[in-house]
Structures are given as structure tokens and as C-alpha cells.
Amino acid sequence: MTMILPFISLYIKTFGNFSDSYVQSWSGWIFGITFVSAFIFSPIWGKIGDKFGRKKILITSGLGLGLSVLLMGFATSVWQLFLLRLFMGVFTGFIPTSQAMIATQTPKKIAGSVLGTLQTGSITGALAGPLLGGAIADIFGYATTFKWTSIALFLSAIIVLFGIKELKMRFSDDEEYQTYSSKQVLLHIVRQPVLLIVMLISMLVQVAHFSIQPILSLYVAEIHGTASIALFSGMAFSAAGLGNLLMAKQWGKIGDRIGYVKIMIILLFMAGIVYFPGAFVTNIWQLIVLRFLLGISIGGIIPVRIAYIRQEAPLSMQGEVLGYNTSLRFLGNVIGPALGGMLAGFFGFSAVFFVTSGLLVISGVIMLVTWYRHEYEGKFQHAFSSHRN
């Protein structure tokens, strides 16, 4: 999927003679519209997966994604690309469904490590994709890259069909076995403040992470020039993937050992700090180094967040809870590109880095305060009242 990300804004330019602000704004909307439909459909897929298994959903998702990306290679207008990205969002559940499938079949005590391994797999693709996509785009053109990407997506569906056997879930107690209505699932989330904030921060992290994505290639062109622009944009994208690849599993292991929320708080502050200097870079290599450091910090948030949800939600509702979490992430994916495109259009590229850095730091503060109140003040008050009695 990441093969096509570095040059969506450049692909839009081939449809007509547009102004820079027009391209930046439409890049944000076309990038983000996928996640509007994904936001709506993720809990639905999650609930279906809880009832009927996840293998069929993975196959359907792979085929739907492949078809939509193939048709993008034949788009001739901004609106065609916009509608195809909208259609694509209905099926953008392959990775979240994989996460739910593995989470529900993994013991809680090693969930962080195993989900970190899954994250390493998806990030290996995210690392190779922009470089491969950028190279193909420079050699063969943007439309051809969409067609190659669709082949990879069709292959993923075929591999799932013949290569995966879904095991029946084993329930450890009646709470895990119980069937839950959507209302009960939502009440379970709302009644646990840390779980609720972890899921809401999923959205804020995605807003922060995706705010720069649709205009990154334009920023690269500004600081580096237009020579081999697709390739250098791919390198800037992939630098974050490399940092993610190196550390995702390690963060998961550390989370298994010392607690997932603690790691999440540390990583949110780290990401906020390394995002800020991006506004001041003067050459492509400074940007690549900062993107690498961002990948190291952002990379651990996904596996530890899912491992925490695995820990706090009964097994028979986990697909739906992860579906809601994915919906919130996709909502962040909608807001992020639109916000980034708007900020870049009105205030310049630097504003995107300033706002994003602030969002990540604020997320860290919210997570820290909620966790402290729930873990320490609650326990202290309980101990104090027990002592008095």
C-alpha cells in the first residue's frame, strides 16, 4: 500500500495545470477520504470477525483493495481518484484484522512481543514500499505503479486463502465466552478510563503522524529540488519505517515486562520532541534522520496499544473493541491529512511540524494524567479507606 503514498500529490498534478495550494488541499482530501469509509466499516468488520472468523475478512479485504488500486492506475481526474480512494476505504481492514486475529490467538503475557513481530512485518512493507514505488514511478510513471501495487494486494489475498488456518478461540472463563451486544462493548470501554483514553489517543497519534504524509513529497521538493523527486520522497517515507522496523518488537517486549501504558507515555513524549525540528531542516538528509527517529518512537505505540486492549477486553469482544480502536485511528487518518494540507496551504510547511509536535506532547500529558489518577490515586484512596475501616 505504501508504494503509492509518496507521489499521490505528484499524481494529482498530472491531471491538469493546478496551483500549488489546490494540489496541497486535494492531496489532503484524497489521502484522507479512504479513512472516512474505513472509519465507518471497521467496527462492522470487527463484529463479523468475532462471530464468523477473520480469514474470510482478510481475503475480501485483499481483493477489494487490489481492485480499487488497479482502477486508480486508470484515473484521469481528481474526482475519479477521490471516489476510488473512498471505495478503497471499505476494504482497508487487512492490517487491523490481522492484528485482531493474532491478538485473540496469543496468550496475554506475550501479546506485546507477538504483536511487535506483526508490526515488524507490516513495517517491512512500509519500508520497502515507498522506495520500490518511488523507483517504479520514476522509471515507468505513476499509473504503472498503481497497477504493480494491485498485483501485490491480490497476492496477499491468495496467500491468506491457501496459507492460513484459523484456529478456534479457547475461552478461559465465562466472561471470555459470553456474547456481547454492541451497547455492552461500548459500556465496557467507557467504564475503563485508561482503556478509553488509550483508544482516543489512537486517533490523536494518527492525526499527528498523518498530518505531514500527503504533503511530504512537496516538502522534499522545496528543500531538495525536483531531481528524482519520487525516489527521495520514498526515502523520506521509508526512514520512519526503518526506525519502526528496528524497534517495534523491542518496545512490545519491554511493554510485556514493565507495562504497556508506561511505554506508551514515554513514546508519545519522544515522538513529540523529534517531530518539532522538522520545521527547521535545510537539506533532505536532516529530514531523513528526523523521520528515522520518529519511526523509532511512533513504532512502539501500535503494538503496545493493541496488547493493552488485548489485556483489558474479554476475548469474545476483542474484534469489535479493536474495530472501534481502528475506527478512531482512521478518523485520525482523515483529520490528519486534511489538517496538514490546510496548515501547509495557509501557513507553510513549518506550521505542520509545530502543530503535530504539540499534539503528540498533549497526548502524552493526557495519557500520563489519566494513568496516574487511575493507577495511583485510586489505589491510594482504596488503601486509605481500608486502613480507616
Side-chain angles (χ1 to χ4, degrees), residues 12-342:
I12 291 168
K13 282 187 173 182
T14 66
F15 296 149
N17 186 21
F18 306 127
S19 68
D20 287 344
S21 61
Y22 180 92
V23 172
Q24 287 167 15
S25 296
W26 269 106
S27 295
W29 289 114
I30 286 174
F31 191 89
I33 193 60
T34 299
F35 306 116
V36 173
S37 44
F39 167 73
I40 296 166
F41 279 89
S42 287
I44 297 170
W45 290 124
K47 196 170 184 69
I48 293 169
D50 282 335
K51 285 187 176 180
F52 304 109
R54 297 180 174 84
K55 181 174 176 176
K56 292 175 183 175
I57 296 173
L58 287 170
I59 295 166
T60 304
S61 179
L63 293 174
L65 288 170
L67 178 62
S68 56
V69 172
L70 176 65
L71 293 173
M72 284 178 208
F74 298 96
T76 56
S77 73
V78 169
W79 277 105
Q80 287 177 6
L81 189 60
F82 180 85
L83 292 172
L84 285 168
R85 292 275 300 174
L86 176 67
F87 172 74
M88 177 178 147
V90 175
F91 301 98
T92 306
F94 195 94
I95 299 297
T97 304
S98 304
Q99 291 167 342
M101 186 173 181
I102 290 177
T104 53
Q105 300 187 33
T106 302
K108 290 182 181 181
K109 63 182 180 181
I110 59 165
S113 176
V114 175
L115 287 161
T117 305
L118 173 64
Q119 177 72 353
T120 300
S122 64
I123 292 304
T124 302
L127 174 65
L131 286 172
L132 183 60
I136 293 173
D138 276 337
I139 297 168
F140 299 108
Y142 303 130
T144 302
T145 311
F146 284 97
K147 294 163 191 173
W148 278 101
T149 301
S150 71
I151 293 171
L153 291 163
F154 287 131
L155 273 175
S156 70
I158 293 167
I159 290 167
V160 171
L161 177 62
F162 294 107
I164 288 178
K165 181 181 179 182
E166 187 169 7
L167 304 174
K168 289 184 179 179
M169 295 187 292
R170 296 178 181 179
F171 302 102
S172 60
D173 54 44
D174 291 339
E175 185 189 41
E176 301 250 309
Y177 183 74
Q178 180 183 339
T179 301
Y180 294 90
S181 68
S182 293
K183 182 181 178 182
Q184 289 174 311
V185 173
L186 289 168
L187 284 173
H188 178 84
I189 295 166
V190 171
R191 286 169 181 165
Q192 298 193 60
V194 178
L195 176 61
L196 178 62
I197 292 299
V198 165
M199 293 178 70
L200 291 173
I201 281 178
S202 296
M203 181 184 71
L204 289 177
V205 168
Q206 294 306 109
V207 170
H209 189 42
F210 276 76
S211 62
I212 195 67
Q213 301 277 44
I215 47 121
L216 186 61
S217 58
L218 302 173
Y219 190 48
V220 170
E222 183 178 277
I223 61 175
H224 181 73
T226 56
S228 301
I229 180 63
L231 179 60
F232 279 103
S233 296
M235 289 175 67
F237 269 85
S238 294
L242 179 59
N244 204 322
L245 174 67
L246 293 176
M247 286 302 295
K249 186 176 181 179
Q250 300 307 315
W251 288 126
K253 280 184 177 178
I254 297 167
D256 287 334
R257 194 167 65 248
I258 71 170
Y260 303 122
V261 177
K262 291 177 187 175
I263 295 299
M264 226 178 304
I265 292 166
I266 292 166
L267 293 176
L268 285 166
F269 283 114
M270 277 178 59
I273 290 166
V274 300
Y275 225 115
F276 190 79
F280 304 103
V281 297
T282 55
N283 67 61
I284 184 67
W285 300 111
Q286 291 171 355
L287 181 63
I288 286 171
V289 169
L290 288 173
R291 294 277 302 166
F292 173 74
L293 294 174
L294 177 69
I296 286 176
S297 48
I298 289 274
I301 293 175
I302 293 173
V304 298
R305 183 175 61 206
I306 296 167
Y308 180 77
I309 294 169
R310 165 74 181 93
Q311 181 178 278
E312 296 299 317
L315 200 58
S316 58
M317 71 160 70
Q318 278 179 20
E320 191 169 352
V321 173
L322 286 166
Y324 288 123
N325 182 65
T326 302
S327 273
L328 287 168
R329 286 181 58 207
F330 285 144
L331 181 60
N333 293 357
V334 175
I335 298 168
L339 178 66
M342 186 176 67

